[in-house]
Amino acid sequence: MWFKHLHLYRLHDTTPIALEALESALEAFAFRPVSPSEGKRLGWQRPAGRHGQQLAHEIQGHRLLSLLRQERLLPASVVREEVDERAAEREAAEGGPLPRRERQALKEQVVEEFLPRAFTRSQRIDIWWDTRRGLIGVNCASRARAEDALDLLRQSLGSLKVTPLAVRQLPSRSMTAWLEDIASRPEGLQLGDQVELKDANGDDGVWRARGIDLDGEEVQSVLASGRQASRLALDVEDQLSLILHDDLTLKSLRFADALLDEASQQEDDDDPTLRLETDFALMAQVLSGFIEQLIDWLGGEADPAAPTS
C-alpha cells in the first residue's frame, strides 16, 4: 500500500472528528457497484480489502482511508459514430438536416442505451490524514481525482475546509536555485536524474531530461537561457526519492530499500490488517517528516490567500 503520488492539503477544521464517528460517517457512503444507468460512482472501501473490518485505520494520529472510483467506459467515438448513423437515417427520411436540439436528444438516447453494456474500470484512491499536523494527502496521479476524493470526504462529514498546501517561496524558484547553485541546496537533499525546465514566458516549450547528471553543463546551459524548473527529481537522506512539481505535488514516490526491509521484518502473524497498519505507520512517519522539511526548505508555510514570492 506504499503511496506512489501525493497531493497535499491543509485542513482548516480545528477539531478532528473522533474515529468512531468517522467510521460511522464513512459507512453511510460505502462503495456499491455502479448501476447500469450511472457513468461513475465513488464510495468508501476497507483499506485492508476483504479481510479488513474497518473503513478507517488510525496509528499514532495518522489515519488511512480508501475509496473506490468505478466508471463505465463508453468511448466518445462509439457514441459519435452511432449518432451520425441514426442522424443520417432521420435526415434521409425527413429530407432535411436534423436540428441541433434533436441531434443532442439523439446523443442522450444513444448514451442511455449503450451505458449498461459498457465495461467498467475501478481505481483505488487512498487518503492519509495527519490529525496532529492538520494535513491531508491524497494518493493519486491526477489533481482532479484528488478533488473527487475530498468531495466524497466532505459529503460524508458534512463539511471539510481544506486548501492546497501553500509555501512562501515558489517551488519553481527554489528548484531552479538548487540546480544553479550546489551551495543553496538544503542539508540532506540530493538531486536525482530527472528534470523539466519551462520557458519563463511560456513561449519556448518544455525541456525534459532523465538519466543525466543534473549538475552537468547541459542543464546549466539550458538554465542560462532563463528557463525555470517545473519538475525536479529529489533524493532525501536515504529515506525516499520523488519528483517535486511546481504545484507541490509529489510524484513517483519510492521509499528506500532499508525502510521496506524494516517493514518486511515486522511480525504480523500473516494478518493482512496488521501488515497494512505496519506499512502505513512507517510510511506516514517518513512522509510527515519529509513534508515538514520541504515546507522549511521552501520558506515556510504561507497563508493560502496570500501571494507567494
Side-chain angles (χ1 to χ4, degrees), residues 91-127:
E91 288 172 350
E94 298 172 7
L98 201 64
R100 179 178 298 180
R101 181 178 300 178
E102 293 188 27
R103 189 178 183 89
Q104 179 61 32
L106 195 58
K107 179 180 178 181
E108 294 172 359
Q109 179 185 357
V110 169
V111 170
E112 184 178 352
E113 291 178 11
F114 281 27
L115 202 57
R117 292 178 280 164
F119 290 108
T120 60
R121 176 176 60 188
S122 299
Q123 176 190 16
R124 170 175 169 159
I125 300 174
D126 296 310
I127 294 178

Side-chain angles (χ1 to χ4, degrees), residues 214-232:
L214 297 187
D215 291 322
E217 293 182 3
E218 184 178 9
V219 174
Q220 296 303 315
S221 175
V222 178
L223 286 170
S225 67
R227 291 178 180 269
Q228 291 195 332
S230 52
R231 300 181 185 180
L232 183 62

Side-chain angles (χ1 to χ4, degrees), residues 14-296:
T14 56
T15 305
I17 183 174
L19 185 62
E20 296 78 8
L22 174 61
E23 184 84 18
S24 178
L26 300 182
E27 186 65 44
F29 292 86
F31 176 77
R32 64 175 178 82
V34 63
S35 72
S37 61
E38 290 179 311
K40 69 175 182 179
R41 173 170 285 277
L42 286 78
W44 301 107
Q45 67 171 6
R46 289 165 176 76
R50 59 188 178 88
H51 300 288
Q53 301 297 321
Q54 305 160 246
L55 287 173
H57 295 260
E58 180 169 352
I59 301 95
Q60 299 177 343
H62 297 282
R63 290 176 175 175
L64 175 64
L65 318 176
S66 294
L67 63 95
L68 196 65
R69 183 183 191 277
Q70 190 175 75
E71 62 179 336
R72 292 194 175 273
L73 304 179
L74 185 56
S77 59
V78 172
V79 174
R80 183 169 55 252
E81 183 177 344
E82 182 67 18
V83 170
D84 288 345
E85 184 175 334
R86 296 188 186 187
E89 292 176 357
R90 287 270 304 274
E91 288 172 350
E94 298 172 7
L98 201 64
R100 179 178 298 180
R101 181 178 300 178
E102 293 188 27
R103 189 178 183 89
Q104 179 61 32
L106 195 58
K107 179 180 178 181
E108 294 172 359
Q109 179 185 357
V110 169
V111 170
E112 184 178 352
E113 291 178 11
F114 281 27
L115 202 57
R117 292 178 280 164
F119 290 108
T120 60
R121 176 176 60 188
S122 299
Q123 176 190 16
R124 170 175 169 159
I125 300 174
D126 296 310
I127 294 178
W128 162 48
W129 183 345
D130 186 340
T131 61
R132 296 178 179 177
R133 295 173 178 82
L135 192 71
I136 287 180
V138 185
N139 174 31
C140 60
S142 162
R143 175 73 68 174
R145 294 288 182 268
E147 295 291 342
D148 284 346
L150 293 177
D151 284 344
L152 180 62
L153 185 57
R154 184 176 295 110
Q155 186 179 8
S156 302
L157 300 179
S159 67
L160 183 70
K161 298 177 182 178
V162 295
T163 54
L165 186 66
V167 289
R168 296 185 182 277
Q169 296 175 9
L170 289 174
S172 60
R173 189 168 298 174
S174 295
M175 290 190 292
T176 302
W178 297 341
L179 283 166
E180 292 176 330
D181 181 10
I182 295 178
S184 71
R185 296 170 194 169
E187 183 179 356
L189 174 67
Q190 296 182 340
L191 302 188
D193 63 356
Q194 295 185 47
V195 68
E196 177 182 278
L197 303 175
K198 289 184 178 180
D199 179 71
N201 299 316
D203 299 329
D204 196 22
V206 178
W207 188 86
R208 298 184 180 91
R210 64 169 58 209
I212 67 169
D213 178 8
L214 297 187
D215 291 322
E217 293 182 3
E218 184 178 9
V219 174
Q220 296 303 315
S221 175
V222 178
L223 286 170
S225 67
R227 291 178 180 269
Q228 291 195 332
S230 52
R231 300 181 185 180
L232 183 62
L234 307 177
D235 290 309
V236 185
E237 294 182 327
D238 298 324
Q239 291 186 323
L240 78 161
S241 63
L242 64 132
I243 298 177
L244 175 64
H245 289 226
D246 55 8
D247 64 352
L248 273 186
T249 301
L250 312 181
K251 293 284 189 77
S252 302
L253 289 165
R254 294 189 62 183
F255 295 87
D257 290 341
L259 184 67
L260 299 179
D261 290 342
E262 180 182 351
S264 65
Q265 292 168 8
Q266 300 294 319
E267 294 292 337
D268 59 20
D269 298 323
D270 293 325
D271 182 342
T273 299
L274 184 56
R275 165 54 50 200
L276 173 83
E277 292 184 344
T278 298
D279 291 349
F280 174 64
L282 289 171
M283 181 185 71
Q285 182 180 8
V286 169
L287 286 176
S288 58
F290 167 68
I291 291 167
E292 285 187 351
Q293 282 185 311
L294 182 62
I295 292 172
D296 183 60

